Amino acid sequence: MTVTIYDVAREANVSMATVSRVVNGNQNVKPATRKKVLEVIERLEYRPNAVARGLASKKTTTVGVIIPDISNNIYAEAARGIEDIATMYRYNIILANSDQNEDKELNLLDTMLGKQVDGIVMMSDAVTPKLQQSMEHSPVPIVLAGSVDETNQFPSVNIDYFQASYEAVQLLLENGHKRIAFVSGPLAYTINAKFKLEAYKKALADANLEVDERLIISDDGTYDSGLEAWETLSGLENPPTAFFAGSDELAIGLIHGAQDNGKKVPEEIEVISFEDSKLARMVRPQLTSVVLPLYDIGAVAMRLLTKLMNKENIEDQSVIIPHRIEKRNSVK
């Protein structure tokens, strides 16, 4: 049978209030009494009921974390950042995968709130109107990590996706390329459409180059999509000589497609990616990539959430952390 606080109090011959004070670290307990209670707790293997404690304190010291896919190394990095800071501030996390599915995101939000979490960190590639509406009705704070809410209603942590993408395309322009392709994941995702694509177009316009829509390809963002994009783009009458890829997998697909067709990287074509996962260092040539620091984004999002949960004063709820381009061997 489950050992209760009543069992500990009876065995130690103290009140339940005294046991509670010992468990919660209250210093108003005599050392001898504390020692006796702790010995009974250890002998009976008593584990405090987190749910009951939460009902009493109106806090569960638990945070919900909703991410698209924990098996994806990039999202795993974000989850690790969240978990490290949560541990530092003595919060437990409940982690759930949304599979980037709106219905599942909405259900997970309801589930997390039903578990009486004190706050939620949400990662979503598309903060839809339905998701916004659901978050608006949350009784606990929600922080977006690596996700853009175009209404700016919710606290968030991101990098400057537009500027980072602009700098990536500008690097290719400075290397003399005039035919630059943009290969992306789904344009239904805000960061892809509103920032990466628009930055690509702005960089070309600033270089007095027209946008050729045939050089813009979007798919599911996978390695196979990168291979298919290479086949499509290399078959053009005037094919591109450089590629800005929205993810490392896409970039590697492009590079392998080029290499399979006898092209040398970076001597004949250049590729820059957006992500800088472990894959960027594992492929040959190693990828030049915009660094998406998702560990840092997750860690800062969790720290922001702790402040909101503790009702601390927050000067700016939209946090932009620094970005950089890691230069390797896929560009000259």
Side-chain angles (χ1 to χ4, degrees), residues 60-65 91-92 94 112-113 116-122 138-143 302 305 309:
T60 61
T61 62
T62 301
V63 168
V65 179
Y91 283 92
N92 300 308
I94 301 174
M112 294 294 186
L113 295 174
Q116 303 293 308
V117 296
D118 296 331
I120 295 172
V121 177
M122 163 74 78
S138 170
V140 300
I142 297 177
V143 174
M302 183 61 216
L305 184 62
M309 291 186 295

Side-chain angles (χ1 to χ4, degrees), residues 37-59:
V37 171
L38 289 174
E39 286 174 350
V40 172
I41 285 174
E42 184 176 359
R43 177 159 51 82
L44 297 183
E45 298 184 349
Y46 170 64
R47 297 291 181 269
N49 187 320
V51 173
R53 292 170 71 186
L55 290 172
S57 66
K58 297 184 179 179
K59 287 186 177 181

Side-chain angles (χ1 to χ4, degrees), residues 291-323:
V291 177
L292 183 58
L294 277 181
Y295 177 92
D296 295 341
I297 287 174
V300 173
M302 183 61 216
R303 180 65 184 106
L304 178 57
L305 184 62
T306 64
K307 292 181 178 181
L308 292 168
M309 291 186 295
N310 292 324
K311 296 181 170 53
E312 297 178 31
N313 183 44
I314 307 294
E315 290 185 6
D316 188 358
Q317 294 194 128
S318 296
V319 180
I320 301 296
I321 64 176
H323 67 270

Side-chain angles (χ1 to χ4, degrees), residues 242-307:
F243 301 81
F244 173 41
S247 71
D248 291 343
E249 279 198 42
L250 282 171
I252 294 170
L254 288 165
I255 286 175
H256 286 174
Q259 291 172 335
D260 289 346
N261 282 271
K263 295 289 185 181
K264 293 181 180 180
V265 182
E267 292 83 359
E268 294 178 88
I269 67 163
E270 295 185 58
V271 179
I272 186 167
S273 69
F274 193 112
E275 199 171 61
D276 197 47
S277 66
K278 292 179 180 178
L279 293 174
R281 300 185 298 279
M282 295 167 68
V283 70
R284 293 297 181 271
Q286 292 185 329
L287 282 174
T288 291
S289 183
V290 173
V291 177
L292 183 58
L294 277 181
Y295 177 92
D296 295 341
I297 287 174
V300 173
M302 183 61 216
R303 180 65 184 106
L304 178 57
L305 184 62
T306 64
K307 292 181 178 181

